[in-house]
Amino acid sequence: MSGEHVEGLLKELRAIVGVEHVLEGEALQPLLEDWRKRYRGWARAGVRPDSTEAVAQVVSACARHGVPLVPQGGNTGLCGGATPADDRAVLLLTSRMNRVREIDTANDTITVEAGCLLQQVQQAAETAGRLFPLSLAAEGSCTIGGNLATNAGGTQVLRYGNTRDLTLGLEVVTPQGDIWHGLRGLRKDNTGYCLRDIYIGSEGTLGVITAATLKLYPQPRAQRTALLALPSLPAAVAVLERVRAGFGAGLTAFEVMAAMTLQAVVHYFPEQRLPFAAETAPWYALLEFSDSEDEVHAQSRLETVLGAALEAGEALDVAVAGSVAQSQAFWHLRESIPLAEFRMGKAIKHDIGVPVSRIAAFVEKTNAALQAAFPGVRHVIFGHLGDGNLHYNVAPAPGQSEAELLALQAQVYDIVHGSVMAHGGSIAAEHGVGQLKRDLLPRYKDPVEMALMRRIKAALDPDGLMNPGKVL
């Protein structure tokens, strides 16, 4: 594309969104690198539309000029999905599309624009006396559009499901610049193909999600948070089975953490502390119980169920939060793990899903295989045991540089992903595919699945202008 044509496109974009909302030069630089600093791209400009109609005009202009578009929300992704992989691209930034359009408490729905921060949606629901349960460490900076694009999971998937399960309707701008007005707040709608589910998890490769109608839930009458010290990962699975039976649908979260993950948190953030006299347990679990009755019933139920886990030897110690502040402190420990890991240096990350019944065997066998191949590497393991999603990360061995570890990435991937598949799992559970796992998919997905995905991409985006170089 010649310089004259580039300037022609930029002139059109300025006319659509305003001169101050077309970013170039230094203003664009922070948006060209992913959060983990693993990918850096280049873009002709960054464009900040403030409405779905403006998005449609931007998409149409780029389509006429044959220029790719890369949607970007909070830029908190972990797989390079919002970082340009094509140097002809324009970044489409959703930050100005941050309105809560409607809250319908009778229908238990909230309709929000894609640039709303997740925390903003949670707070709007709370103000209306409702719960929007999607929760993850980046909720203060990630956007709903990004959550939808990656089908984000988070800590309460066990009870409420992934983002897809929390979504009733979408508004989408197609690669041709058309607007699909699909913001229906219906829980039953069997009028053909479920287009909503095609766009959720597509990482911006099929169109631009501009708004969504999401499910709301009643606020729990009482909530209890407990941190458990555990003798082993099989014990964690046993406790999970026990609390599922004891709490039923009231069990809203069950997180598991290897000892070194919490040790890293208290090392890098010394203001945080574990609530146990001894910090020697090899595994920890954080659970949340939401009760529909009252505080007395919640406390009694928790004491009964966790007391049985202690008596059975499944737990070594239990700390129950006695206040909202203590509950927040427990969750802060869990949510600080990615930040502590960032301080430890670049690691080889795996966001994997394995059936809960096979997680302990997966970890044991994979740890052993990695130690046999690369003695001394550290296993940074934590995640959502309740739904079978582990963040199984490999950090440098003592004395090993980041570069030396990252040079082994292909071999580490072979071991970990091979073990994932042997245990009936998935190599991408909640972070998406992006650039990081794009070339791995053909090795681990059914060929028919891959062919169907390519057909969908070709049908919806025949010119390949939507977020090129991602997923496929």
Side-chain angles (χ1 to χ4, degrees):
M1 190 176 183
S2 69
E4 181 179 340
H5 285 111
V6 170
E7 188 52 41
L9 170 62
L10 294 180
K11 184 177 180 181
E12 286 188 50
L13 297 178
R14 293 183 191 112
I16 295 167
V17 303
V19 174
E20 68 273 28
H21 297 300
V22 177
L23 307 182
E24 300 178 79
E26 287 302 313
L28 190 59
Q29 294 308 305
L31 307 173
L32 300 177
E33 187 172 53
D34 75 309
W35 185 82
R36 292 175 58 202
K37 302 188 184 304
R38 291 288 300 273
Y39 296 98
R40 185 166 186 84
W42 189 86
R44 298 183 186 278
V47 184
R48 298 188 299 199
D50 68 347
S51 69
T52 299
E53 291 70 25
V55 171
Q57 292 177 53
V58 168
V59 172
S60 295
C62 288
R64 286 195 304 274
H65 288 272
V67 171
L69 268 172
V70 178
Q72 187 180 106
N75 199 23
T76 59
L78 299 177
C79 294
T83 305
D86 185 318
D87 62 11
R88 302 173 299 147
V90 164
L91 272 179
L92 193 152
L93 308 166
T94 63
S95 55
R96 295 176 68 210
M97 299 181 62
N98 59 4
R99 290 172 283 271
V100 176
R101 293 188 185 174
E102 181 186 25
I103 299 178
D104 184 345
T105 54
N107 195 45
D108 274 335
T109 56
I110 182 170
T111 299
V112 299
E113 294 180 342
C116 284
L117 297 180
L118 172 56
Q119 192 171 73
Q120 179 187 352
V121 180
Q122 295 168 341
Q123 291 170 348
E126 185 176 3
T127 299
R130 296 293 188 272
L131 170 72
F132 180 65
L134 182 64
S135 179
L136 46 141
E139 60 196 30
S141 51
C142 67
T143 63
I144 281 294
N147 301 147
L148 290 159
T150 58
N151 188 30
T155 58
Q156 299 199 68
V157 172
L158 170 64
R159 168 65 178 86
Y160 298 103
N162 293 303
T163 306
R164 174 178 281 114
D165 303 297
L166 297 171
T167 306
L168 294 174
L170 292 180
E171 179 182 81
V172 178
V173 174
T174 73
Q176 295 74 36
D178 299 320
I179 301 174
W180 171 43
H181 299 282
L183 292 174
R184 292 181 289 271
L186 299 175
R187 287 163 175 80
K188 289 184 176 181
D189 180 9
N190 288 327
T191 53
Y193 304 131
C194 187
L195 300 180
R196 175 197 64 202
D197 285 352
I198 291 177
Y199 287 107
I200 297 174
S202 66
E203 302 188 43
T205 62
L206 302 178
V208 181
I209 296 172
T210 55
T213 297
L214 307 167
K215 296 178 185 177
L216 297 179
Y217 293 84
Q219 288 278 1
R221 293 181 181 273
Q223 212 162 43
R224 287 292 181 271
T225 306
L227 187 65
L228 290 73
L230 306 167
S232 66
L233 191 52
V237 175
V239 172
L240 173 60
E241 185 176 356
R242 181 182 295 279
V243 296
R244 269 183 163 162
F247 299 149
L251 180 64
T252 50
F254 194 97
E255 301 287 296
V256 71
M257 300 157 282
M260 78 162 298
T261 62
L262 291 185
Q263 289 165 1
V265 170
V266 298
H267 172 74
Y268 289 108
F269 307 105
E271 70 278 8
Q272 298 195 54
R273 289 285 184 271
L274 288 178
F276 302 113
E279 301 178 359
T280 57
W283 290 91
Y284 295 88
L286 178 64
L287 68 82
E288 187 172 85
F289 169 47
S290 298
D291 194 83
S292 59
E293 295 193 25
D294 55 34
E295 298 284 348
V296 174
H297 181 268
Q299 185 66 25
S300 173
R301 196 81 204 115
L302 195 76
E303 290 175 357
T304 298
V305 175
L306 296 187
L310 284 167
E311 290 179 9
E314 296 163 351
L316 302 174
D317 202 351
V318 175
V320 177
S323 65
V324 172
Q326 287 182 337
S327 174
Q328 291 173 340
F330 287 2
W331 276 108
H332 193 39
L333 284 165
R334 162 63 181 89
E335 291 162 356
S336 297
I337 292 173
L339 299 175
E341 189 178 23
F342 187 79
R343 296 275 193 96
M344 291 169 63
K346 291 178 180 176
I348 301 174
K349 294 180 178 289
H350 306 87
D351 163 45
I352 59 96
V354 174
V356 174
S357 58
R358 307 187 72 180
I359 277 183
F362 162 79
V363 169
E364 180 183 3
K365 292 180 180 179
T366 311
N367 284 2
L370 286 171
Q371 288 301 322
F374 315 111
V377 293
R378 291 173 291 171
H379 309 286
V380 183
I381 306 170
F382 61 100
H384 321 300
L385 184 66
D387 56 63
N389 174 202
L390 285 185
H391 303 302
Y392 183 94
N393 302 332
V394 180
Q400 185 180 39
S401 70
E402 290 180 0
E404 288 171 335
L405 175 71
L406 294 179
L408 303 173
Q409 179 167 283
Q411 297 161 268
V412 171
Y413 274 175
D414 283 345
I415 292 173
V416 175
H417 292 152
S419 184
V420 166
M421 300 311 291
H423 288 86
S426 166
I427 67 168
E430 68 172 357
H431 292 162
V433 175
Q435 301 178 59
L436 181 66
K437 299 178 182 178
R438 176 195 63 203
D439 298 334
L440 295 172
L441 281 195
R443 292 183 58 186
Y444 298 108
K445 282 188 79 69
D446 183 282
V448 174
E449 282 185 274
M450 293 300 301
L452 290 171
M453 288 171 60
R454 291 191 179 99
R455 289 177 196 169
I456 292 171
K457 171 71 170 174
L460 298 182
D461 182 25
D463 296 324
L465 296 180
M466 296 306 303
N467 209 5
K470 317 295 170 55
V471 184
L472 295 173

